[in-house]
């Protein structure tokens, strides 16, 4: 299906930050864009915001001055929707209220031509509910841009039960022609990104509620150890806890209170206290000129071992061995038991990648009191930070030697309390689990899920499903099963698709 040609006019309803941003994108692509809002001052402000951003791009040599002028001229303010009756595509970016949107769509349907497409930029409401009652429900679809629309690449093209395939494909091709990265999604709560991303916040909030580490340390582990662009707490502060909590609550309720999406009582109290994040001056962190910057916990320098013995295959952590050798640490290799995960002997401590159990439980079950576990890293050969924890049975001296050995290899080391799955591995496992369920339930294809998470949230490693493939579906299933055993909650139930892939050995994209 072809994209809309440039001679097709666009009307954007809602001139706020999102609506004006969408108008800017369409105008830059060469379309005449009618900009409408129920408040005339909002239209003027929206067009002024477009002009300001275009001037910024020119000043940064990212846009030619003549093109900026032409783009702005293509944004045409209209005082009434009737003035945009010749538009071939209407994009709604108004308040997230189903009744208000339905009323608007009925009006648009009566004004626009029968072949016009009506698109909603909703991030949470059902396309099916919006289409109900329309004379031409097949012409309605979701076109979910991410804020700020001129900068963010991802667009979710959301189809309801009655959306014509031709409409969805036209919107997909048009978004691509506008320089965006589109993905197809079915109309389900949260679509792709707002559903699959929930564990990134939820696992961090749970670990914080258990007082296992400070927020700045958890943020640093996920940012510097796992390659996420922002840690979950700094990201929630940026989004706003009121907004983040509302989205979580909306998805939770839409899935009939599935415990996997359960909101955090702690975040609820933050919202109640008015600690909304950057916009209120305080959230998880404090902001303002006099606010002290929160810093992660870095272990003091320790003496490490000159040699490490590796027993068996340590799986995803294998690149760590070359890094140790490059740091002048002798690595001795021994064969392990068939079917058993490998480990390292560093001084008096047995050191292994976490598997979703606490170190204390694992030490008891394996009869290895001096057990130290390390967390997942994006790339053990280059990541700058790693998290460690010790079993309650493990002596502090043994932990210090392990810490010093990792420091010698160039890691900043954060030691956190003994929490199941630490922070990075449990987060990645839960992201992969939710992504797998989205694929299983035909919300989107595996490739579109990963594409959405890369371009909508800047997730590393090609997306959560690609990361699950790299770790091995069997290992991810083991981690989730151990987490479910530890907490005794449905929250950590394994996706049937992930379990199936673990059994048949197929990749998530197969």
């Amino acid at each position: 299906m072809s994209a809309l040609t440039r001679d097709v006019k666009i009307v954007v309803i809602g001139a706020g930050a999102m609506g004006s941003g969408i108008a800017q994108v369409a105008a830059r692509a060469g379309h005449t864009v009618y900009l409408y809002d129920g408040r005339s001052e909002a239209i003027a402000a929206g067009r002024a915001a477009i002009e300001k951003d275009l001037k910024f791009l020119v000043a940064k040599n990212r846009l030619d001055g003549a093109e900026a002028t032409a783009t702005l001229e293509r944004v045409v303010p209209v005082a009434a929707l009737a003035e945009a009756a010749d538009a071939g595509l209407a994009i709604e970016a108004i308040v997230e209220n189903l009744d208000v949107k339905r009323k608007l769509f009925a009006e648009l349907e009566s004004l626009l031509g029968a072949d016009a497409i009506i698109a909603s930029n909703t991030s949470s409401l059902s396309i099916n509910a919006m289409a109900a009652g329309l004379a031409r429900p097949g012409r309605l679809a979701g076109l979910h841009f991410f804020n700020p629309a001129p900068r963010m690449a991802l667009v979710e093209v959301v189809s309801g039960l009655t959306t014509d395939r031709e409409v969805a494909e036209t919107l997909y091709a048009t978004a691509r022609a506008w320089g965006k990265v589109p993905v197809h999604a079915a109309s389900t709560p949260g679509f792709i990104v707002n559903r699959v991303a929930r564990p990134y916040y939820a696992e961090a909030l749970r670990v914080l509620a258990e007082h296992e580490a400070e927020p700045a340390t958890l943020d640093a582990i996920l940012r510097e150890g796992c390659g996420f662009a922002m840690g979950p707490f700094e990201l929630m502060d940026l989004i706003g806890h009121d907004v983040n909590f509302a989205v979580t609550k909306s998805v939770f309720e839409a899935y009939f209170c599935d415990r996997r999406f359960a909101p955090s009582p702690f975040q609820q109290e933050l919202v109640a206290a008015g600690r909304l994040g950057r916009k209120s001056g305080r959230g998880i962190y404090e902001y303002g000129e006099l606010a002290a910057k929160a810093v992660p916990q870095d272990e003091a320098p320790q003496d490490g071992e000159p040699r490490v013995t590796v027993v068996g295959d340590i799986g995803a952590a294998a690149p760590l061995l070359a890094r140790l050798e490059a740091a002048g640490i002798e690595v001795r290799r021994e064969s392990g038991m068939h079917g058993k995960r490998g480990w390292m002997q560093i001084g008096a401590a047995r050191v292994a990648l976490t598997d979703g159990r606490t170190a204390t439980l694992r030490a008891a079950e394996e009869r290895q009191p001096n057990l130290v576990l390390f967390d997942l890293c994006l790339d053990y050969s280059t990541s700058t930070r790693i998290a460690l924890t010790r079993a309650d049975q493990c002596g502090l001296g043994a932990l210090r030697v392990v810490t010093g050995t990792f420091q010698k290899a160039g890691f900043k080391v954060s030691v956190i309390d003994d929490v199941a799955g630490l922070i990075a591995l449990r987060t990645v496992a839960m992201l992969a689990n939710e992504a797998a369920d989205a694929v299983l339930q035909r919300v989107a294809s595996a490739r579109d899920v990963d594409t959405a998470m890369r371009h909508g949230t800047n997730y590393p490693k090609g997306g959560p499903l690609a990361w699950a493939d790299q770790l091995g579906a069997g290992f991810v299933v083991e981690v989730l099963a151990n987490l479910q055993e530890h907490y005794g909650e449905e929250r950590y139930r394994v996706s049937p698709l992930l379990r199936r892939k673990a059994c048949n050995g197929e990749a998530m994209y197969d």
Side-chain angles (χ1 to χ4, degrees):
M1 191 61 61
S2 300
L4 295 174
T5 56
R6 290 184 177 183
D7 62 324
V8 175
K9 296 175 181 178
I10 316 292
V11 58
V12 176
I13 303 96
M18 184 58 77
S20 63
I22 295 170
Q24 179 177 331
V25 170
R28 279 200 66 182
H31 297 269
T32 295
V33 181
Y34 299 122
L35 184 61
Y36 173 77
D37 196 289
R39 298 177 300 114
S40 59
E41 64 272 19
I43 300 174
R47 197 169 187 275
I50 295 172
E51 183 176 16
K52 180 180 179 181
D53 192 55
L54 292 173
K55 287 181 177 178
F56 170 81
L57 294 173
V58 171
K60 295 293 184 180
N61 293 318
R62 298 177 192 169
L63 183 65
D64 178 74
E67 184 181 349
T69 299
T71 296
L72 189 62
E73 289 176 350
R74 286 192 288 268
V75 179
V76 181
V78 292
L81 277 177
E83 297 177 43
D86 60 341
L89 170 62
I91 304 175
E92 165 273 313
I94 63 173
V95 62
E96 287 285 82
N97 181 292
L98 181 59
D99 290 336
V100 175
K101 290 180 189 289
R102 278 176 166 170
K103 182 179 179 181
L104 171 65
F105 296 148
E107 183 180 1
L108 287 169
E109 198 174 45
S110 69
L111 286 172
L112 304 179
D115 59 349
I117 297 173
I118 301 174
S120 173
N121 185 57
T122 182
S123 62
S124 61
L125 297 179
S126 168
I127 301 302
N128 297 309
M130 292 182 199
L134 290 179
R136 297 185 294 276
R139 307 303 293 175
L140 177 71
L143 194 65
H144 181 212
F145 289 78
F146 287 73
N147 197 24
R151 304 285 189 272
M152 296 295 288
L154 183 69
V155 175
E156 292 176 321
V157 179
V158 186
S159 295
L161 295 172
T162 57
T163 301
D164 292 342
R165 188 65 185 175
E166 173 195 353
V167 167
E169 293 295 350
T170 297
L171 289 174
Y172 185 97
T174 300
R176 175 164 283 176
W178 290 359
K180 298 301 181 182
V181 178
V183 294
H184 283 294
S187 180
T188 52
F191 309 144
I192 301 173
V193 171
N194 279 333
R195 172 185 176 167
V196 176
R198 306 277 37 100
Y200 190 62
Y201 314 111
E203 293 309 305
L205 286 164
R206 163 155 274 191
V207 171
L208 182 65
E210 295 177 17
H211 302 283
E212 308 294 357
E214 291 299 310
T217 299
L218 296 172
D219 274 349
I221 293 167
L222 285 163
R223 191 177 60 246
E224 300 169 25
C226 268
F228 289 93
M230 296 181 73
F233 297 110
E234 55 190 355
L235 182 54
M236 284 184 279
D237 270 7
L238 178 64
I239 294 169
H241 288 279
D242 52 340
V243 174
N244 188 266
F245 179 75
V247 172
T248 300
K249 187 178 178 183
S250 172
V251 172
F252 176 61
E253 291 174 348
Y255 278 104
F256 302 103
C257 300
D258 186 335
R259 300 305 299 174
R260 180 175 288 175
F261 304 107
S264 162
F266 174 69
Q267 189 175 41
Q268 179 176 250
E269 293 306 307
L270 283 176
V271 174
R275 291 176 53 174
L276 307 181
R278 288 181 178 271
K279 61 186 175 184
S280 69
R282 189 179 184 191
I284 293 291
Y285 303 114
E286 292 189 19
Y287 301 92
E289 294 182 3
L290 301 180
K293 182 176 174 59
V295 295
Q297 174 199 341
D298 290 352
E299 291 300 301
Q302 305 290 340
D303 293 328
E305 279 287 303
R307 66 187 60 83
V308 170
T309 300
V310 182
V311 181
D313 181 6
I314 60 173
L320 175 62
L321 303 182
R323 181 168 178 168
L324 292 170
E325 289 177 321
I329 299 169
E330 179 186 353
V331 176
R332 298 175 178 176
R333 293 169 172 81
E334 297 181 3
S335 57
M337 295 179 62
H338 180 71
K340 296 288 185 180
R341 300 196 184 281
W343 47 275
M344 298 181 291
Q345 189 70 34
I346 301 179
R350 174 174 288 195
V351 182
L353 174 63
T354 180
D355 64 1
R357 290 177 288 174
T358 64
T360 299
L361 174 63
R362 188 166 167 179
E365 290 181 341
E366 297 178 2
R367 298 182 180 181
Q368 294 290 335
N370 278 339
L371 179 66
V372 174
L373 300 181
F374 60 91
D375 208 350
L376 181 67
C377 284
L378 175 66
D379 184 346
Y380 287 97
S381 63
T382 59
S383 292
T384 59
R385 182 177 298 273
I386 196 165
L388 303 178
T389 194
R390 69 181 177 99
D392 290 349
Q393 305 94 313
C394 179
L396 285 172
L399 174 64
R400 292 190 188 102
V401 171
V402 175
T403 297
T405 305
F406 277 94
Q407 288 172 333
K408 189 174 181 180
F411 286 100
K412 289 179 281 187
V413 176
S414 293
V415 174
I416 68 175
D417 203 359
D418 185 18
V419 60
L422 291 171
I423 181 60
L425 182 58
R426 69 187 284 161
T427 298
V428 170
M430 284 293 282
L431 289 169
N433 200 42
E434 198 53 53
D437 255 7
V439 174
L440 177 68
Q441 295 162 13
R442 303 291 179 89
V443 175
S445 69
R447 292 190 185 279
D448 273 359
V449 168
D450 270 358
T451 297
M453 301 316 292
R454 283 200 317 274
H455 293 281
T457 59
N458 202 23
Y459 281 6
K461 207 71 173 182
L465 294 175
W467 207 336
D469 278 345
Q470 189 263 332
L471 292 172
F475 179 58
V476 177
V477 167
E478 179 184 345
V479 170
L480 292 165
N482 285 334
L483 286 167
Q484 186 174 27
E485 176 68 21
H486 176 75
Y487 287 105
E489 295 180 14
E490 274 288 289
R491 176 192 188 104
Y492 298 100
R493 70 181 185 274
V494 178
S495 167
L497 178 62
L498 196 58
R499 192 181 295 279
R500 182 176 180 178
K501 296 294 186 180
C503 291
N504 65 25
E506 291 182 349
M508 293 304 300
Y509 287 2
D510 292 340

